[in-house]
Structure formats: structure tokens, C-alpha cells
């Protein structure tokens, strides 16, 4: 019996569409200080949330919810949480880097027209543990995929996004009235910006440099040698 010939799929993106995807990836930035007061239209927010909702999720659990925050007083109270958390965090930074740390702008909560808290409902698929029985954290990872979808869509829309992670989750939950079984995964600032920097801000400010990808790629096992042709292509990309 003759084996069936299967034709592999090919891209249905033309070159311009393909390049636009990579452009969004490579030019995405974590925005802190470039937000403009211009409102973000609801039709754009709807597209961004729809993009987030189409993220991959293990077991198709879709564990996310989205809390939009626009109220100036509420944003100011959340900013207070960040200031307190930052004062705690800086004590754990090596002395030589504390001055640089204090010089960094760590959030755009007040300046950004829209704040967005993306959460994970860890009870949503408790009775259907497909993909979670051995790895229960997959619901959290799925929610992070929603964050990335939204972030890339925002870049394509000319909207800046900043992820604020320096805050106490329990205090944030209390302030936003988040139920006990819900985990805040990302607190984001969204808005139009004056510019997208050519490099990530922390790289421009000298905090860290991008690691060399070819040194992070292994073959068959941890630190396995091999993949020399691929690594050559990576280095030249």
C-alpha cells in the first residue's frame, strides 16, 4: 500500500505581514516615562482585550479576567503601593547599584490613561485538570501568554505598555476587591507615548545587557554541544 503523501503547510502571511509580526516583537518596549495624556479609544481597547483573550491556554482553560482602572484616585492609591514596595526592594539591591536603581522610573501608573490588571482564576478549571495535573502552574503561564498577546497587539496599535511588578499582591487584591481564589498576574499601564526607544530602557540606563542567544541554545541535553550551523545563523541575525 502506497504511503499517503502529506503536503506540509506553508505560510499564508505575505512578506510584509510576516515582517510586521517580527517588528512588533523586536520593537516592543516596557514603557515607564513616555506616556501622553491622550485617551485610548474604546475600539482599540476592545481589540487589545480580544487579542489577549485569544492567547493559548493549557486545556483551553482561559483563566484570565481583566480589570480596567481609569479613576485618578484609585491609580494614586496603587502608586502608593509601588512606592512602598520600591522602598523595600531597594534595600535588597547591592549598595553600588542603589543610586542607579533610585534613578530609574519604575512605573507610569499616574501618567498612563488606562491601567489594566490581568488576573488568573485558579479555580476556573479545577474539575478539568487537563495539562495541569502534573504542572498546576500552567494556568498562571497561560495568563502570561494573554499578557504577551496584548502587549504585541498594543505595539502594532502604537500603544505603549508598562508592566508594574513592584507591588504587594495582597495589598493590590484588597484595593481592587479581588476574590481570594484569584491571583493578580500583571498590572499594566497603557497609553499613547512620545516615542518607543531603540533599546529597552534598562539596557539604555546600564542596568543589564541582552544576553547572547547563541550561548543559551543547547543540543539534546543541558549544555549539550551541537547546533553549530543554527548558532552561526543566530549570531548573524
Amino acid at each position: 500500500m502506497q504511503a499517503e503523501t502529506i503536503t506540509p503547510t506553508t505560510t499564508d502571511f505575505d512578506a510584509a505581514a510576516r515582517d510586521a509580526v517580527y517588528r512588533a516583537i523586536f520593537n516592543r518596549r516596557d514603557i515607564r516615562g513616555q506616556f501622553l495624556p491622550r485617551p485610548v479609544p474604546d475600539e482599540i481597547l476592545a481589540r487589545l482585550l480580544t487579542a489577549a483573550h485569544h492567547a493559548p491556554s493549557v486545556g483551553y482553560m482561559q483563566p484570565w479576567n481583566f480589570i480596567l482602572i481609569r479613576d485618578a484616585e484609585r491609580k494614586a492609591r496603587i502608586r502608593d503601593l509601588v512606592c512602598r514596595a520600591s522602598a523595600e526592594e531597594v534595600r535588597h539591591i547591592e549598595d553600588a547599584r542603589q543610586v542607579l536603581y533610585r534613578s530609574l522610573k519604575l512605573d507610569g501608573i499616574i501618567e498612563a490613561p488606562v491601567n489594566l490588571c490581568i488576573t488568573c482564576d485558579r479555580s476556573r478549571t479545577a474539575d478539568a485538570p487537563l495539562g495541569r495535573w502534573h504542572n498546576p502552574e500552567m494556568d498562571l503561564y497561560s495568563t502570561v501568554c494573554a499578557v504577551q498577546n496584548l502587549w504585541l497587539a498594543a505595539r502594532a496599535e502604537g500603544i505603549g505598555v508598562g508592566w508594574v511588578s513592584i507591588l504587594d499582591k495582597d495589598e493590590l487584591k484588597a484595593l481592587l476587591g479581588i476574590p481570594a481564589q484569584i491571583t493578580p498576574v500583571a498590572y499594566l499601564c497603557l497609553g499613547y507615548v512620545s516615542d518607543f526607544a531603540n533599546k529597552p530602557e534598562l539596557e539604555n540606563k546600564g542596568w543589564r545587557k541582552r544576553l547572547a542567544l547563541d550561548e543559551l541554545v543547547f543540543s539534546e541535553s543541558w549544555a549539550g554541544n551541537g547546533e553549530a550551523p543554527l548558532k552561526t545563523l543566530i549570531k548573524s541575525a
Side-chain angles (χ1 to χ4, degrees), residues 79-98:
R79 178 79 193 327
D80 289 342
L81 299 184
V82 173
C83 290
R84 289 203 299 272
S86 178
E88 295 173 358
E89 184 174 77
V90 71
R91 295 198 295 268
H92 301 279
I93 303 295
E94 58 183 293
D95 293 346
R97 307 196 71 181
Q98 286 191 9

Side-chain angles (χ1 to χ4, degrees), residues 95-157:
D95 293 346
R97 307 196 71 181
Q98 286 191 9
V99 172
L100 176 57
Y101 178 94
R102 289 190 172 95
S103 73
L104 299 173
K105 183 169 176 54
L106 300 175
D107 75 274
I109 291 172
I110 302 300
E111 300 89 341
V114 179
N115 289 191
L116 175 66
C117 184
I118 302 182
T119 64
C120 177
D121 185 345
R122 309 211 67 187
S123 67
R124 183 165 294 168
T125 55
D127 59 341
L130 173 61
R132 290 182 62 201
W133 182 256
H134 295 93
N135 297 288
E137 69 278 4
M138 295 309 297
D139 54 352
L140 296 170
Y141 298 162
S142 296
T143 304
V144 173
C145 289
V147 176
Q148 182 76 339
N149 264 26
L150 182 140
W151 211 330
L152 294 177
R155 182 61 184 88
E157 296 277 5

Side-chain angles (χ1 to χ4, degrees), residues 216-231:
L216 308 177
V217 177
F218 304 143
S219 178
E220 306 297 343
S221 62
W222 183 262
N225 293 323
E227 306 294 348
L230 174 61
K231 290 186 178 185

